[in-house]
Amino acid sequence: MSQHKWFETVAIAQERARRRLPKSVYKALIAGSEKGVTLADNQAAFAELGFAPHVIGAPPERTLDTHVLGQPMSMPVMISPTGVQAVHPEGEVAVARAAAARGIAMGLSSFASKPIEEVVAANSQTFFQMYWMGDRESMARRMQRARDAGAVGLIATTDWSFSNGRDWGSPIIPQAMDLKTIITRSPEALVRPRWSAQFARTGRPPELSTPNLTEAGKPAPGFFEAYYEWMQTPPPTWDDIAWMAQEWGGTFLLKGVCRVDDALRAVDAGVSGISVSNHGGNNLDSTPASIRCVSAVADRVGDQIDVVLDGGVRRGSDVVKALALGARATLIGRAYLWGLGAGGQAGVENVLDVLRGGIDSALRGLGRADIHDVQRSDVLVPDGFTRELGVVPAPASVPEPVAVG
């Protein structure tokens, strides 16, 4: 990799992406809902956790390989599905290739800009993500298409609501990249010549359609057309989730669980795993950080299904902290998007290398030879850190009446 593309931390990748991307594109990536309380806490909470290191006897080599949701992976990190990756012309295909090159699984959004067939061709360990939208017949058709394409699992995202107002304002996302929009946005693009040149070489503007939601004989709907369909669909019930799991008939990850009672219901619904997530701070603001909720959930259902964490991961040490608190792996979203924006496939690979190096370094400091050897005692959890949401307290015992003779 050439020196100008190299970065040693995810923070540097983010700064490179900020300098390269048009302002509105970058703002869309960093957005959170309302005041951004959850967005900030997702990262800040990791800093509250400490490590208890060993200084003697560190293993000379460390093993990071693992299995998550039935998939062998080189490290406990997965690509979280994110919609319409217009930060780079190759979008999700570039991310899929990077993930495959580094031996990890890919999550593909149903709102993605690239079709699932191309993404699976780039990474055979692709999970297809769906929202509860439309009717069951249309959802079943989307599942069948994903199945035919070779998707190894399904992700049902439930941690996204209509809470989209932002105190700092929201970037205006166009309905489509038509001629009028291109002319209107050209001043913003012209001050980012390297980004603009990437798309100019393809002869196409950034793609805002959703090809994975295409119905037979119809063009791919635009992002907002798909978004409106989702908004008009009544939210799913637990029976609907059970139907999805049964209809898919394979590995099924329910994304968006923060409460213990929801986790227990998810197990009853037949899921293979749950992602403790708050949609990167883009859902109900003031929800606790994912890392604060994961241990309570993992303690209750981690012996039955895979529990993964999504939200705020920026360092390899964050991954190790999540594993110590009971997660099987972590998903990353913004971190790889910074890499994609900064350098395409090579940038994503760079981010994954940064995370792998951080995981290895943390294992060495903790004196652990294998990622599966990480224990709860390896992290220092301050009082009041954990949020046990949805835990029903046991009823107080009532003393038996004492007979008076």
Side-chain angles (χ1 to χ4, degrees):
M1 182 179 295
S2 61
Q3 187 65 31
H4 77 280
K5 290 183 178 179
W6 174 254
F7 34 85
E8 295 181 344
T9 68
V10 173
I12 295 175
Q14 179 179 351
E15 177 59 19
R16 296 275 175 86
R18 185 188 68 81
R19 294 179 181 179
R20 189 183 186 95
L21 299 176
K23 185 176 181 180
S24 62
V25 175
Y26 179 75
K27 286 181 68 176
L29 295 183
I30 64 172
S33 62
E34 296 186 338
K35 190 177 181 180
V37 172
T38 299
L39 176 68
D41 195 35
N42 268 350
Q43 294 184 66
F46 278 105
E48 296 179 27
L49 296 170
F51 280 125
H54 289 284
V55 294
I56 303 297
E61 296 181 357
R62 276 75 54 194
T63 301
L64 275 61
D65 295 355
T66 189
H67 277 74
V68 184
L69 296 168
Q71 296 299 307
M73 292 196 291
S74 67
M75 61 177 171
V77 175
M78 297 174 59
I79 297 296
S80 188
T82 61
V84 187
Q85 295 175 10
V87 299
H88 190 275
E90 293 186 321
E92 295 85 0
V93 173
V95 176
R97 289 173 181 158
R102 295 301 183 262
I104 67 170
M106 168 77 182
L108 177 69
S109 172
S110 57
F111 281 27
S113 62
K114 302 296 182 184
I116 186 169
E117 292 80 8
E118 292 184 17
V119 175
V120 172
N123 189 326
S124 61
Q125 293 182 291
T126 295
F127 288 75
F128 183 61
Q129 175 273 338
M130 289 179 58
Y131 295 102
W132 182 261
M133 55 182 288
D135 54 31
R136 287 191 176 188
E137 288 75 16
S138 62
M139 283 184 269
R141 287 194 295 271
R142 292 165 192 157
M143 290 185 206
Q144 186 59 50
R145 178 180 172 185
R147 195 179 295 115
D148 292 343
V152 297
L154 191 72
I155 301 174
T157 296
T158 58
D159 57 340
W160 191 24
S161 70
F162 302 128
S163 180
N164 54 12
R166 301 181 179 110
D167 285 8
W168 54 88
S170 302
I172 299 175
I173 301 175
Q175 294 274 4
M177 291 302 293
D178 52 22
L179 181 60
K180 180 180 178 180
T181 300
I182 292 173
I183 294 173
T184 302
R185 294 300 181 97
S186 59
E188 185 180 355
L190 288 173
V191 297
R192 295 291 187 265
R194 288 186 299 167
W195 181 84
S196 301
Q198 289 180 137
F199 286 95
R201 285 192 291 269
T202 69
R204 295 172 60 91
E207 183 62 67
L208 297 180
S209 65
T210 56
N212 293 303
L213 298 176
T214 303
E215 292 288 345
K218 298 180 180 179
F223 176 84
F224 281 101
E225 184 180 349
Y227 181 83
Y228 293 148
E229 180 183 1
W230 167 72
M231 289 181 66
Q232 293 166 5
T233 304
T237 65
W238 281 109
D239 286 342
D240 293 327
I241 297 301
W243 173 82
M244 288 187 78
Q246 184 176 16
E247 180 70 22
W248 175 250
T251 303
F252 183 89
L253 177 71
L254 182 65
K255 183 175 180 292
V257 176
C258 292
R259 297 171 57 104
V260 171
D261 50 0
D262 281 348
L264 294 170
R265 292 292 298 271
V267 172
D268 291 341
V271 307
S272 310
I274 55 177
S275 172
V276 178
S277 169
N278 49 48
H279 211 80
N282 275 291
N283 195 39
L284 178 63
D285 199 25
S286 296
T287 299
S290 302
I291 190 65
R292 299 188 189 276
C293 303
V294 71
S295 61
V297 171
D299 287 348
R300 291 299 298 272
V301 302
D303 60 341
Q304 303 174 69
I305 59 174
D306 282 354
V307 175
V308 298
L309 176 136
D310 191 349
V313 173
R314 301 291 187 272
R315 300 167 183 83
S317 59
D318 295 342
V319 177
V320 175
K321 290 173 181 178
L323 268 58
L325 295 185
R328 183 75 178 174
T330 67
L331 281 75
I332 58 170
R334 289 183 176 91
Y336 77 79
L337 290 174
W338 305 143
L340 181 64
Q345 177 182 338
V348 179
E349 291 175 0
N350 196 158
V351 164
L352 295 176
D353 290 342
V354 166
L355 294 177
R356 183 178 183 85
I359 295 170
D360 184 73
S361 179
L363 288 184
R364 176 171 178 154
L366 294 171
R368 301 298 184 192
D370 192 290
I371 195 69
H372 301 101
D373 296 338
V374 175
Q375 300 177 11
R376 189 73 56 93
S377 59
D378 289 328
V379 293
L380 308 176
V381 183
D383 292 341
F385 178 87
T386 300
R387 303 292 189 267
E388 296 183 341
L389 308 183
V391 176
V392 180
S397 59
V398 178
E400 293 291 332
V402 178
V404 178

